[in-house]
């Protein structure tokens, strides 16, 4: 059902130029994918951290205009708190240890990717993206590309949207789904005269990390939220689930590739099938994963035992899926749609 | 600035008939308020629990059609888990110890309220409201009443909407804001040709319990979410904040009454002023509360040290505010708009 690229990993941090002299690329991961001008493109999440300076703790943020700003704290400063490994806290404000932006790469064969010259990036901008933008899905709807991504700031973690027709000029649509939300995948065509998206709110108390569906008249405003899939106790998707890229229209229904993780953060991929005319209706769902971390580049790395996809291109029966492995490198795999449908029809 | 009703509390659990024979009213709290047909009405949150049965643990939920269903578990059943006082857990599903619905009460003088005959309620309905509906705001927009309330289920806690013109027939709009969200207050008129609301998402990690603003073309679909107010360390609103009822239009700006709680869950009320033409701009905010728990009915009860408002009616300079006290009884108070504006102008 799944054929990994022999060339994996196809992208790793050493292949990417840092965004500025003071920064180092820590991880390249979770790319959006699309086709444009006869080429395959990835919109890669590049996670950077400031180059270490002796005696200092440095973090980076985006300012209001999208420019990267490095903050430096003296390690002897009593207001600095380093007790949490994932964050740096200074005078009550928590900063992330890495900052992500989105970098465009292109390819003629869908396997070997390079940065265009000059390099092209999308960065966090404004008060809702100071801590970066991450894990971008790209959907092509009525001739326009819609980018839905995780917008991170001290205000919370929500879903931001940017659109473009030509990848030169971009329209910022603001935050389309408020905190805490991630993993937003747009359907690429209207169903029942409405736009649709999958999303993944998270709850501090009742509820969990479940997949929800919403609809919209205009892609900017969303309503009629319904929960369509929950985590399943004692299964491979017991801890959290979230949609991959846009649902794929098949004769059997809308095919969704999704990630599921256990409470121990082992991330696998599974599939779901939604009714073509009523996407709130789940027809089938993988009992077992369609893909699990197996290769060394998936089991070892910045965060091992993780495969996470939010980008694919589709031709006929073939999905070319791009995915982040071990939260550090980018890989590719081919998937047969018919094989996934057979897996689902046979009970998953 | 604040004059409590001498008659407080104006409603308490003993004054309300249980919704069915097997239920007991535990709390009456957090009413929405509106005027209709020359009377003042409250839409009271009634929290009930099943009448205790010896040797059993009982909980109640709403089924798909909005009917109340009592579940009974044998105390000797090893699958029953009572280790958490707020919830009853059975085979991995957590149930709340009380179930809330919304009850209509009316009054000729705005102080003495009674139930119409026959009694009229709104209950939870469908998979997103099985654990009840709570804390309803009522906004009158273009001749139609819009009810925004907390919809609770095992899927999460979000904002549901129902509308009515005559309080006889109701339209259910589904979930307008996905989990985790509460405290949604609609503006009662358009600003810049859009509808607006305040809402309060909560985050399991980055972010907090902050007040956000969103806009809509049609009241059903919401976008362009922005964070307008955060909790303030070491102040009376350090733990969580949330809007009360609809913003009140004044010559100085949109006046908002909001609740703020400390991390120890002491709930006070404060005020905020938003720019008339650009409600994303906060002009002023209370440094000190405009109202704190002080009377015995506010400091002692089901959950002491709590005053919480989500309903008011306005005539000229006078806000008649209804509020839940100690999460158990309902009270009223009169507030002078000019006095609140003076408090804000003088630095709050």
């Amino acid at each position: 059902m799944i054929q990994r690229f022999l060339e994996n990993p196809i992208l790793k941090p050493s292949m990417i130029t840092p965004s500025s002299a003071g920064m180092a690329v820590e991880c390249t991961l979770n790319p959006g994918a699309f086709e444009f001008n006869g080429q395959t493109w990835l919109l890669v999440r590049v996670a950077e951290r400031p180059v270490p300076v002796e005696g200092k703790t440095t973090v980076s943020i985006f300012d209001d205009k999208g420019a990267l700003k490095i903050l430096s704290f003296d390690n002897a400063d009593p207001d600095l708190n380093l007790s949490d490994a994932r964050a740096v806290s200074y005078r009550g404000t928590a900063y992330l240890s890495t900052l992500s932006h989105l970098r465009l790469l292109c390819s003629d064969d869908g396997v070997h990717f390079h940065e265009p010259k000059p390099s092209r990036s999308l960065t966090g901008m404004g008060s809702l993206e100071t801590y970066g933008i991450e894990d971008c899905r790209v959907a092509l709807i009525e001739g326009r590309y819609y980018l839905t991504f995780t917008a991170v700031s001290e205000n919370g973690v929500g879903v931001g949207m940017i659109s473009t027709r030509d990848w030169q000029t971009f329209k910022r649509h603001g935050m389309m789904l408020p905190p805490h939300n991630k993993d937003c995948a747009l359907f690429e065509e209207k169903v029942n005269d409405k736009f649709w998206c999958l999303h993944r709110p998270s709850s501090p108390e009742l509820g969990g990390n479940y997949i929800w569906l919403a609809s919209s008249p205009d892609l900017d405003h969303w309503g009629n939220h319904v929960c369509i899939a929950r985590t399943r106790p004692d299964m491979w998707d017991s801890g959290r689930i979230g949609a991959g890229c846009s649902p794929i229209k098949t004769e059997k229904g809308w095919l969704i590739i999704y990630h599921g993780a256990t409470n121990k953060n082992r991330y696998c991929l599974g599939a779901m099938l939604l009714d073509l005319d009523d996407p709130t209706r789940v027809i089938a769902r993988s009992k077992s994963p369609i893909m699990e971390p197996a290769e060394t580049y998936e089991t070892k790395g910045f965060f091992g035992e993780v495969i996470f996809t939010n980008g694919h291109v589709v031709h006929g029966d073939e999905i070319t899926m791009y995915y982040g492995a071990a939260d550090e490198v980018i890989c590719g795999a081919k998937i047969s749609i018919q094989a996934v449908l057979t897996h689902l029809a046979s009970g998953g």
Side-chain angles (χ1 to χ4, degrees), chain A residues 96-328:
Chain A
L96 300 187
S97 54
T98 64
L99 180 70
S100 291
H101 66 275
L102 304 174
R103 191 81 67 92
L104 275 166
L105 284 95
C106 62
S107 171
D108 292 321
D109 62 4
V111 176
H112 300 88
F113 284 85
H114 63 274
E115 288 197 62
K117 292 197 170 138
S119 170
R120 285 155 65 189
S121 294
L122 290 168
T123 61
M125 204 172 279
S127 64
L128 300 178
E129 299 173 5
T130 45
Y131 292 3
I133 54 178
E134 307 175 351
D135 302 351
C136 188
R137 278 80 177 162
V138 180
L140 180 58
I141 303 172
E142 298 172 3
R144 196 171 176 88
Y145 295 91
Y146 289 85
L147 288 55
T148 55
F149 52 85
T150 309
V152 187
S153 75
E154 60 179 325
N155 295 307
V157 176
V159 177
M161 186 161 74
I162 291 174
S163 71
T164 183
R165 202 173 277 278
D166 58 9
W167 294 94
Q168 298 291 335
T169 56
F170 296 87
K171 179 181 175 190
R172 291 203 171 239
H173 296 254
M175 188 172 276
M176 65 177 271
L177 294 168
H180 185 94
N181 212 312
K182 289 183 169 188
D183 301 328
C184 176
L186 297 166
F187 286 61
E188 292 187 299
E189 60 182 83
K190 282 187 174 182
V191 180
N192 299 325
D193 204 35
K194 285 181 288 191
F195 297 105
W196 296 80
C197 78
L198 299 164
H199 63 92
R200 208 287 302 279
S202 296
S203 293
E205 28 190 90
L206 272 178
N209 302 296
Y210 305 155
I211 296 178
W212 288 61
L213 187 73
S215 56
S216 170
D218 57 11
L219 291 164
D220 282 323
H221 304 90
W222 295 86
N224 215 355
H225 300 269
V226 289
C227 181
I228 62 163
R230 296 209 293 255
T231 48
R232 298 179 292 190
D234 306 323
M235 291 181 68
W236 60 276
D237 51 4
S238 60
R240 52 182 62 225
I241 54 175
C245 191
S246 293
I248 299 161
K249 196 175 190 177
T250 75
E251 76 275 18
K252 302 287 187 193
W254 293 101
L255 178 63
I256 293 164
I257 310 286
Y258 76 97
H259 68 262
T262 60
N263 287 319
K264 290 184 173 166
N265 290 316
R266 181 172 188 260
Y267 279 72
C268 298
L269 300 181
M272 233 182 274
L273 203 58
L274 308 185
D275 187 275
L276 278 182
D277 300 317
D278 174 12
T280 67
R281 200 167 78 80
V282 179
I283 300 171
R285 179 173 172 186
S286 295
K287 281 205 183 65
S288 56
I290 60 170
M291 187 174 171
E292 304 186 54
E295 301 292 334
T296 308
Y297 49 78
E298 296 163 349
T299 58
K300 310 275 181 209
F302 186 80
F303 203 103
E305 299 291 342
V306 170
I307 51 179
F308 184 101
T309 186
N310 50 292
H312 60 226
V313 297
V314 179
H315 288 280
D317 180 59
E318 187 179 80
I319 304 169
T320 303
M321 180 186 77
Y322 298 95
Y323 64 101
D327 270 4
E328 182 171 333

